[in-house]
Amino acid sequence: MVNSFTYGLIRLLLLSVFAHNMLHVMAQWPNGGSTRYYDFKVQMLKVNKLCQTREIVTINQKYPGPVVYAQEDDRVIVKLKNETPYNATIHWHGVRQILSCWSDGPSYITQCPVQSGQTFTYEFTLVKQKGTLFWHAHFSWLRATVYGAIIIYPKKGVPYPFIHPYEEHTVILGEYWNRDLVELERIVTASGGGAPVADAYTINGHPGPNYNCSTNDVYKINVVPGKTYMLRLIGALLNMESFFTIANHKLTIVEADGEYTKPFTTDRVMLGPGHTLNVLVTADQKIGRYSMAMGPYMSAQNVAFQNISSIAYFQYIGATPNSVTLPAPLPKFNDNLAVKTVMDGLKSLEVANVPKEIETNLFFTIGLNVNKCGSKTPNKNCQGLNGGVMAASMNNNSFIRPNFSILRAYYEHVNRGFTMDFPGSPIRFYDFVNGAPNSAPNDTGSVNGTRTKVLEYGSRVQIILQDTGTVTTENHPIHLHGYSFYVVGYGNGNYNPQTAYFNLVDPPYMNTIGVPVGGWAAIRFVADNPGVWFMHCHLEIHLTWGLAVALVVKNGQGPMETLPHPPADMPRC
C-alpha cells in the first residue's frame, strides 16, 4: 500500500516531467486590481530550423515570446527596450486600451517606432476584460516571430462558466520564413508583386515532422486519459489563415476573442491572423498519440500558399514512444462551408447589449487592386497582375502609413500629412462581388492617401464590410484596434438591407472578423474610447498594400471621456 506522502511525491515528479512539454499549464490566479510589471527586451535569437541556422527577432530571446499573465481589471506595465538594429513597437491585440490609446502600439498610427537602443513603457488597464488575447510586433513584418499570449484570468473567486479544465495549454499558430522579414517586406513592396509563401507553418514555434530536419522539432501535450483540457488557440499567422483539428477528438468552443460564448462543439476550427479561441478537449480516446494539425485555408483564386501541414502531438500518458501517430484530417484548403459552420455556432454566452438605434452608418468595401505601372524599370517594380502594381483598399482608398504618429499630430493639432475625409461609403454602388471591374490594371486602380474617418464620441456605429471581386474575392480578417464589436450579421453576395438577417440578441463580441469570401459582415459598437484607432486586414501583405483606415474618435465631456496627454517617454520619429 502506498502512503499519501509517497503518492504525493510520485505525482510531483510526474508533473515536473510533463511540464517541460507544456507552453502553459494552469497557473494560480493572481489577485485582482493589482499592477503587473514586465520587462520586454527586443533581442536577436539564433535558431536552427528547417536545416538552416539564422537569427530572428524576439522578445527576451524567446520564440514564441513570454506570456503576459494578469487578472480582470489589472494594470499592466511593460517596459520595452530595443536591443536590435530594427525599429519595433508592440500591439496588445484585443486590449481595449480605455483612455490609453498612446499604448496601443501600431507604428505611425499611435506612436513612432522604438528605435535601436531606445526604451518605451506601455501602460494599460484590462477594464472588464478576461480570456485569451495576444501581443505582437506592429512594425514591418516583425510579428512573424515577435508574438506571445496574453492570459487574463477572471477575478478571484469567479469560476469559468464551463467545466473547470484539468490543465490549460496555449497553442499559437504561426508561419516561419528562412528570411529577414523586414528585408522581405522591402523586397515585396519594391517588386509590386505578391509575397512568397512561408517556408513552414508552426505550432508554438515548431514546424513538426512533415518538414525537413524537423522530426524532433515538434510540440507535444501529454494528457491523462479521461481529463478535460482547455486549449487557448491563437492565430499569429502573417499572411495566411489556418484550419486546426485534433485527430479523433472534438473541440468545444467556449470563448472567442476574449469573450465567453455558448458552448459549440465541432471537429475543426479556422483561425485567421488576430483570432483567438478557447476550446475544451476531453481525452476520451484509446491511449495513443494523436495529431494536432494546422493547415491552410486559402479562399482567394490563383494565390500560391504553403500546402504542407504542421503537426503537433496530443499524447496520452501510457502511450509507448514508438506509438503510431493517428493522422488528423484537415478540411480542403478552400472549404468555405467549414469556416461558415463554425462562425454560425458562435453566440455570446449572455444576452448582449447590442446598440439598437444607429447614429453612424458606414459602408466599407474591402478588396484588392492592381495599379498601373509608373516605373521606368517595370521588370523590377511592376510584377503584379498583368504588369501592374498590387494594392489593396477600403472604399477604393489604399492607406499610406506616414512617417509620423497620426495620434500625436491629431492631439497636437498639427495639420500635416493626413486628412479627415475618408468616405463613409463607396462613390457608387454596383454588384461588388460579381460585377467588379477586372481588366487589370486598366480599371482596377485605387487612390492612395492617409485618410481618416472621424467619429463623434458616444455615437452608435454600424459598419458594413463588403468583400469585392476585383482581382479575387477572399476572406479578409478585419481587426479594429481599441474596441470589440458585435458581429450582428454576415452573408454571401452583396449586402442587402431588405433581406439581411441580424442577430441582435446574442451575437459574438469580437475584435477580428473574417469577412466571408464574396460576402459581407455587419458590426456594431459604441465609439466611447477617444483616440486614433487602426482598422485593417490582418493579412500582413494586404496591410502593406493599403487595406486599412484610421478611425478618429473625438473626446467626450470631462476627464473620463478625454484622451490624456502623451507619456513623457513617447518615442519621436
Side-chain angles (χ1 to χ4, degrees):
M1 180 175 178
V2 180
N3 62 37
S4 60
F5 174 80
T6 304
Y7 174 81
L9 183 59
I10 292 171
R11 188 172 187 274
L12 183 61
L13 288 171
L14 285 173
L15 286 175
S16 67
V17 171
F18 302 150
H20 80 281
N21 288 315
M22 302 173 186
L23 186 68
H24 168 58
V25 176
M26 177 67 184
Q28 183 177 355
W29 288 359
N31 293 323
S34 56
T35 301
R36 308 286 159 187
Y37 295 92
Y38 290 89
D39 283 316
F40 273 26
K41 294 180 180 179
V42 191
Q43 297 174 322
M44 305 303 295
L45 172 68
K46 184 175 289 187
V47 297
N48 191 334
K49 288 190 182 297
L50 308 177
C51 315
Q52 294 188 35
T53 300
R54 59 178 294 265
E55 285 194 318
I56 62 173
V57 183
T58 65
I59 297 297
N60 298 349
Q61 293 191 322
K62 293 182 178 180
Y63 171 62
V67 179
V68 172
Y69 294 103
Q71 190 172 22
E72 182 180 356
D73 293 335
D74 277 356
R75 182 95 174 146
V76 177
I77 298 177
V78 183
K79 182 179 179 181
L80 182 77
K81 182 178 181 181
N82 188 356
E83 299 179 357
T84 74
Y86 305 102
N87 288 343
T89 69
I90 300 294
H91 170 53
W92 314 93
H93 187 108
V95 173
R96 292 183 196 127
Q97 299 289 1
I98 306 299
L99 299 180
S100 56
C101 188
W102 301 106
S103 287
D104 190 44
S107 58
Y108 303 114
I109 307 299
T110 63
Q111 70 168 100
C112 298
V114 180
Q115 299 175 40
S116 181
Q118 291 184 341
T119 62
F120 176 59
T121 301
Y122 293 93
E123 297 189 39
F124 49 87
T125 301
L126 300 165
V127 180
K128 296 181 180 179
Q129 288 197 262
K130 51 189 173 294
T132 304
L133 304 173
F134 78 117
W135 57 263
H136 61 77
H138 216 304
F139 176 83
S140 184
W141 289 4
L142 287 183
R143 73 172 182 85
T145 57
V146 182
Y147 57 77
I150 302 174
I151 296 177
I152 312 166
Y153 295 110
K155 291 181 178 180
K156 186 177 181 180
V158 178
Y160 292 136
F162 44 81
I163 182 174
H164 196 90
Y166 179 71
E167 286 176 353
E168 302 178 3
H169 297 265
T170 300
V171 177
I172 307 181
L173 311 182
E175 292 177 273
Y176 184 85
W177 278 264
N178 271 320
R179 305 277 293 270
D180 178 315
L181 273 301
V182 174
E183 181 61 21
L184 181 60
E185 188 204 23
R186 290 196 194 105
I187 292 171
V188 170
T189 302
S191 76
V197 301
D199 292 300
Y201 300 118
T202 59
I203 299 177
N204 287 342
H206 301 280
N210 287 348
Y211 292 95
N212 291 337
C213 306
S214 303
T215 301
N216 297 318
D217 196 355
V218 56
Y219 177 68
K220 180 172 62 175
I221 297 175
N222 288 309
V223 299
V224 177
K227 299 297 185 181
T228 296
Y229 295 79
M230 184 163 77
L231 306 186
R232 298 177 180 268
L233 304 178
I234 297 174
L237 301 98
L238 194 75
N239 288 327
M240 281 294 296
E241 298 177 292
S242 174
F243 289 110
F244 176 85
T245 187
I246 303 178
N248 293 17
H249 289 75
K250 298 289 187 180
L251 311 176
T252 299
I253 301 170
V254 293
E255 179 190 301
D257 284 4
E259 295 290 333
Y260 294 137
T261 64
K262 292 180 173 65
F264 176 72
T265 300
T266 178
D267 295 321
R268 65 279 188 264
V269 295
M270 193 282 284
L271 289 95
H275 286 298
T276 63
L277 291 172
N278 283 6
V279 299
L280 298 179
V281 184
T282 299
D284 56 3
Q285 299 298 304
K286 294 179 181 178
I287 290 177
R289 187 164 68 181
Y290 297 82
S291 291
M292 295 189 289
M294 67 171 288
Y297 170 54
M298 172 53 71
S299 57
Q301 300 294 315
N302 303 315
V303 177
F305 58 90
Q306 175 60 261
N307 62 2
I308 300 175
S309 57
S310 178
I311 299 296
Y313 298 145
F314 193 76
Q315 182 164 307
Y316 283 63
I317 294 170
T320 59
N322 58 351
S323 294
V324 175
T325 304
L326 276 74
L330 286 160
K332 192 177 179 181
F333 73 88
N334 59 355
D335 191 342
N336 299 320
L337 181 59
V339 177
K340 181 181 183 301
T341 300
V342 173
M343 189 63 205
D344 288 347
L346 295 184
K347 312 289 182 186
S348 287
L349 182 62
E350 306 291 346
V351 173
N353 186 24
V354 184
K356 303 296 194 303
E357 300 295 325
I358 300 300
E359 293 146 338
T360 303
N361 264 299
L362 303 175
F363 191 110
F364 292 172
T365 59
I366 56 176
L368 305 186
N369 301 85
V370 183
N371 293 327
K372 292 181 179 180
C373 179
S375 171
K376 295 180 180 179
T377 55
N379 290 339
K380 291 183 179 180
N381 307 120
C382 303
Q383 298 177 20
L385 187 64
N386 295 337
V389 176
M390 299 304 298
S393 63
M394 286 187 172
N395 281 349
N396 214 44
N397 286 262
S398 292
F399 187 85
I400 303 299
R401 272 178 286 188
N403 59 1
F404 58 88
S405 163
I406 297 176
L407 177 61
R408 185 135 200 169
Y410 172 74
Y411 180 83
E412 296 177 349
H413 306 288
V414 178
N415 187 16
R416 64 167 195 183
F418 76 98
T419 62
M420 299 173 133
D421 60 350
F422 184 87
S425 63
I427 295 174
R428 67 185 181 92
F429 283 78
Y430 55 94
D431 183 348
F432 295 112
V433 176
N434 302 302
N438 250 319
S439 180
N442 299 316
D443 60 356
T444 56
S446 58
V447 178
N448 292 337
T450 309
R451 304 174 73 179
T452 66
K453 182 64 182 176
V454 179
L455 301 176
E456 295 294 328
Y457 183 91
S459 59
R460 288 164 291 193
V461 181
Q462 174 175 284
I463 303 178
I464 304 299
L465 298 165
Q466 174 70 59
D467 187 27
T468 64
T470 299
V471 183
T472 178
T473 55
E474 186 170 0
N475 181 293
H476 293 276
I478 301 297
H479 172 53
L480 175 58
H481 290 224
Y483 288 87
S484 290
F485 46 75
Y486 292 104
V487 182
V488 295
Y490 51 89
N492 295 322
N494 298 293
Y495 171 71
N496 183 342
Q498 305 303 318
T499 59
Y501 168 75
F502 279 10
N503 175 7
L504 301 181
V505 177
D506 59 354
Y509 195 47
M510 308 179 77
N511 61 61
T512 305
I513 174 61
V515 179
V517 53
W520 58 271
I523 66 172
R524 291 186 179 185
F525 63 95
V526 178
D528 56 2
N529 191 14
V532 177
W533 305 106
F534 210 22
M535 185 177 193
H536 61 90
C537 182
H538 223 287
L539 297 171
E540 207 68 20
I541 184 64
H542 291 179
L543 176 55
T544 296
W545 287 342
L547 211 169
V549 66
L551 304 181
V552 176
V553 178
K554 291 182 177 181
N555 286 329
Q557 301 295 320
M560 297 308 294
E561 298 180 359
T562 302
L563 182 69
H565 59 78
D569 64 341
M570 203 80 205
R572 292 282 185 172
C573 293

